[in-house]
Amino acid sequence: MLVHPQFNPIALDLHGLGLPIAIHWYGLTYLAAFMLFLFLGRRRVLKPWYSSTGWQAQDFDDLLFYGVLGVILGGRLGFVLFYQPELYLAQPLKIFAVWEGGMSFHGGLLGVIAAMGLWAWRRQRPFWQVMDVIAPCVPTGLACGRVGNFINGELWGRAADPSLPWAMVFPESGSLIPRHPSQVYQFLMEGLLLFVILWWLGRRQRPTGQIAAAFLLGYGVFRFIAEYFREPDSYLGLLSLGLSMGQWLCVPMMVAGAALWLYFGRSGTQPAQTAR
């Protein structure tokens, strides 16, 4: 049985040098996520079926800006609406207290979809083509986020059999119960495995929309599985059918992903040419 090392959440404290700056590990994981998004995206647009439609590496600079806004605004609003609407309805000013924590992946996803839709409209590019380009670049960012969760000792797992070799005690949970390191499970499934699958699917030209559909389906499945090992939020617990809020939010993702994969596969629409 292992014990979480309780890392210092501050990676670099410059107060001793007279600078009012403290760099947190979580901030560094976000920075790594954005840098990986840029690196992988610039490689994606070199594919001939994208470069021939006018995609350029510089497009990802703007895409990143729009994506960051979508993640932050959508993630925060998603947490407010999906997880604690009563609290924020009673105290609406707390919506802006982002330093207290509270972000939702599913809300962030909706925010990114909206942001990419706006970018596609402004650039006169097909929406599903844009989503196909960015989809394989997202899981590495999710993996970085789970690393941050593990370093902070948050979002720990449910109780595990003490004989499990990697069962871990999270003192941050307020108990000495051995738990599943669910952050690691999510890092491996939603991060690395999903990235490998999407990057492999994107190695050749596919009908427009299928890569984005694969992301929806793949993330939904992996997150649904991981939630069986993750401790439910204390203020929600388990909901209908013994499922967590995270699992219920994954259901429409899985349904939409499977339906869109079949739809785009049957339509056989190839990456569209951009009007110039």
Side-chain angles (χ1 to χ4, degrees), residues 53-138:
T53 63
W55 280 90
Q56 299 178 6
Q58 291 79 5
D59 289 331
F60 259 75
D61 297 339
D62 286 344
L63 274 172
L64 177 60
F65 174 75
Y66 278 75
V68 169
L69 289 180
V71 167
I72 295 174
L73 296 179
R76 183 59 175 172
L77 290 177
F79 181 81
V80 169
L81 296 175
F82 298 151
Y83 289 89
Q84 291 186 296
E86 298 86 359
L87 170 65
Y88 292 102
L89 183 62
Q91 304 178 63
L93 291 180
K94 289 182 71 66
I95 294 175
F96 303 100
V98 293
W99 55 87
E100 296 180 0
M103 296 285 282
S104 161
F105 164 80
H106 296 89
L109 175 64
L110 293 175
V112 169
I113 290 174
M116 294 303 100
L118 177 61
W119 188 90
W121 173 73
R122 294 190 65 180
R123 292 297 187 92
Q124 296 184 325
R125 290 197 174 277
F127 170 74
W128 286 110
Q129 186 190 71
V130 175
M131 298 304 290
D132 278 349
V133 171
I134 71 168
C137 309
V138 174

Side-chain angles (χ1 to χ4, degrees), residues 210-241:
Q210 271 205 330
I211 303 298
F215 173 85
L216 290 174
L217 177 59
Y219 180 88
V221 169
F222 291 142
R223 175 68 182 268
F224 192 93
I225 295 171
E227 285 284 329
Y228 280 116
F229 301 96
R230 176 172 159 174
E231 184 73 15
D233 296 296
S234 59
Y235 45 83
L236 285 177
L238 296 177
L239 307 177
S240 301
L241 303 180

Side-chain angles (χ1 to χ4, degrees), residues 32-53:
F34 298 146
M35 296 302 293
L36 282 170
F37 180 82
L38 277 178
F39 172 74
L40 295 172
R42 286 170 175 260
R43 293 194 62 184
R44 282 281 291 162
V45 297
L46 295 178
K47 300 290 185 182
W49 50 91
Y50 293 130
S51 61
S52 64
T53 63

